[in-house]
Amino acid sequence: MPTVTIDSSISIDLAVQQISVLKKSIDFFKNLIYSDDFTNNWLNTNEFAVTVTYQHAIARTDANYSCLFDDPHVSFTVGEDPGINNLRPQIMVSTSDLKVRPNKSDYVFVEGKKYFVDDYEQDGVGTTTIYLRSA
């Protein structure tokens, strides 16, 4: 659950306004994730998504998921900072599509390449990010 810090020097009314704006933002993103627009566009394999084959090792089942696949390496520098590197490939899938909770013994096949499941994170608004590592 995200932590919200509110400056103690502001009034209660302003703090309530900030919380209200934050709640509206969260509701907006929840509606976006659960909307047909998200599924029909972002998770549509004719648009942005790819179909992956997910092998659940413990349940001994396979499932095909439509998901967003992030390139294995993303790097950028902001100003004089040393930059940010993400060496782990990842997929984002609709949480409601998952048949079984991800496990580190599972495999994912993306565009013909096999990956191990390294970790996963549910965002609380309908998507699960599954972090991968090359097999």
Side-chain angles (χ1 to χ4, degrees):
M1 180 63 102
T3 303
V4 176
T5 304
I6 298 175
D7 185 348
S8 62
S9 66
I10 63 174
S11 70
I12 296 294
D13 290 336
L14 184 57
V16 168
Q17 284 178 329
Q18 289 178 345
I19 291 170
S20 176
V21 168
L22 180 63
K23 182 180 179 327
K24 287 178 185 175
S25 296
I26 291 170
D27 289 342
F28 170 80
F29 285 108
K30 278 185 181 179
N31 290 335
L32 177 66
I33 296 294
Y34 291 121
S35 74
D36 288 338
D37 190 46
F38 180 77
T39 302
N40 292 333
N41 291 310
W42 288 101
L43 293 181
N44 180 335
T45 54
N46 292 325
E47 295 290 334
F48 301 103
V50 296
T51 299
V52 302
T53 300
Y54 193 105
Q55 292 185 337
H56 298 281
I58 294 174
R60 297 186 187 271
T61 60
D62 290 357
N64 290 324
Y65 296 128
S66 180
C67 64
L68 298 176
F69 175 64
D70 282 347
D71 290 336
H73 183 80
V74 177
S75 178
F76 62 90
T77 302
V78 178
E80 295 180 12
D81 290 339
I84 296 173
N85 289 301
N86 178 7
L87 299 174
R88 293 193 301 182
Q90 59 191 7
I91 58 173
M92 290 178 61
V93 63
S94 176
T95 303
S96 63
D97 287 348
L98 292 174
K99 309 286 188 254
V100 180
R101 179 178 291 175
N103 187 289
K104 287 189 177 191
S105 59
D106 296 344
Y107 299 101
V108 178
F109 292 87
V110 182
E111 299 173 339
K113 186 172 180 186
K114 183 178 182 178
Y115 295 91
F116 292 107
V117 170
D118 198 28
D119 201 2
Y120 76 98
E121 180 177 76
Q122 294 178 332
D123 66 5
V125 294
T127 60
T128 297
T129 301
I130 301 173
Y131 300 99
L132 309 171
R133 60 186 163 82
S134 294

